[in-house]
Amino acid sequence: MQGNAPNGVSQWWASQPMGVRALFLVNVSVYVGGLVVPPSWSLSARNAPGNLCMQSALVVAHPEQSYRIFTSAFTHGGLMHIGFNMVTFLGTGPSLERALGTLRFTQLVLLLVAVLGVLYVLVAFTAQLFGYSKFMGECAVGFSGVIFALITIEALAAPPDRVITLWGMQIPARWYPVAMLAFTQFIMPNVSFIGHFVGILGGYAFATRLLDVALLSAAAAAWAEGLFPLSKLARSPSWVPAPAEP
């Protein structure tokens, strides 16, 4: 029985679509890279969260630091942080990639990173206008904003009568992202509320087709898949082709 475990893991990994695999490996590689470089380096696991985090005050005051919108999403604050995020991502991402195709799914994730970063700054700035200035100085890292967006997209696409069980409670699928937001905030009060909240907003933006203007259509994705180098990647069994237009 023990001898079958590695084989089972390799079969499970082979069953994951290419986009999910690539994004998983990017997140893990960034985290592991931070562990192996000298602790004094700015990109070490000790220093990277502070140097690469999403901090609205810095982005507004120094637009050249807008790179934080992207670097923060792939930076994590510890083993438990990245472990929880990656387990959740592996449970949510594959079904959406199989529905959209690898190219469109990967583009959607990268677009969400950018959109959620902009929304993060806007929400923090708006909160400051109402006297909640702490959000402008909050230093947030992690892939969970994107994960909340994917959870929201999946929930909004579910049948109206579908329910999801969260710690023994039956919750209508459409309310599941909000329940997850509240639950996560309750058990881990130090996590970024805004980071998760804007993820839900990003999911609604996709579901209401507000992001369509920046996303490849299925036909455009299918055309791009015929071009080099995507044509070579598209031959892999883990590549999910763009679905046919309805």
Side-chain angles (χ1 to χ4, degrees):
M1 293 291 290
Q2 291 181 344
N4 293 331
N7 195 35
V9 171
S10 64
Q11 289 178 351
W12 168 82
W13 179 250
S15 71
Q16 301 302 305
M18 186 181 292
V20 166
R21 281 202 247 174
L23 291 163
F24 174 86
L25 289 174
V26 168
N27 276 280
V28 172
S29 297
V30 169
Y31 180 71
V32 172
L35 293 176
V36 299
V37 301
S40 59
W41 286 22
S42 61
L43 298 181
S44 68
R46 182 180 68 185
N47 297 323
N51 293 327
L52 302 177
C53 70
M54 181 61 197
Q55 191 168 5
S56 300
L58 278 176
V59 172
V60 171
H62 304 282
E64 70 275 11
Q65 294 202 31
S66 295
Y67 63 82
R68 290 174 177 268
I69 290 175
F70 294 93
T71 58
S72 62
F74 299 98
T75 305
H76 289 83
L79 182 60
M80 183 177 292
H81 188 200
I82 189 171
F84 183 79
N85 276 356
M86 291 302 98
V87 168
T88 308
F89 176 61
L90 290 172
T92 306
S95 60
L96 188 56
E97 179 171 349
R98 293 184 180 107
L100 293 176
T102 294
L103 180 58
R104 297 180 75 210
F105 173 77
T106 306
Q107 187 203 6
L108 172 63
V109 169
L110 297 178
L111 177 61
L112 283 171
V113 170
V115 169
L116 300 188
V118 173
L119 287 173
Y120 188 101
V121 174
L122 291 176
V123 172
F125 183 76
T126 302
Q128 181 175 249
L129 296 178
F130 289 90
Y132 296 94
S133 58
K134 72 169 187 174
F135 294 127
M136 285 294 289
E138 185 179 72
C139 189
V141 294
F143 205 60
S144 53
V146 171
I147 293 170
F148 263 85
L150 299 181
I151 289 173
T152 303
I153 292 169
E154 185 177 48
L156 294 176
D161 59 346
R162 182 185 173 192
V163 295
I164 299 175
T165 301
L166 178 64
W167 285 74
M169 296 181 292
Q170 298 288 312
I171 300 170
R174 287 176 175 262
W175 288 102
Y176 178 69
V178 177
M180 272 290 292
L181 174 64
F183 177 74
T184 304
Q185 204 66 34
F186 176 74
I187 63 172
M188 295 180 286
N190 292 327
V191 300
S192 173
F193 172 81
I194 292 184
H196 296 167
F197 175 66
V198 298
I200 294 176
L201 294 182
Y204 271 91
F206 174 83
T208 55
R209 308 186 71 92
L210 291 176
L211 302 183
D212 280 10
V213 66
L215 285 171
L216 290 171
S217 66
W223 173 79
E225 288 171 351
L227 303 177
F228 182 83
L230 290 181
S231 58
K232 295 187 72 68
L233 292 175
R235 295 173 191 162
S236 169
S238 63
W239 181 277
V240 183
E245 292 278 12

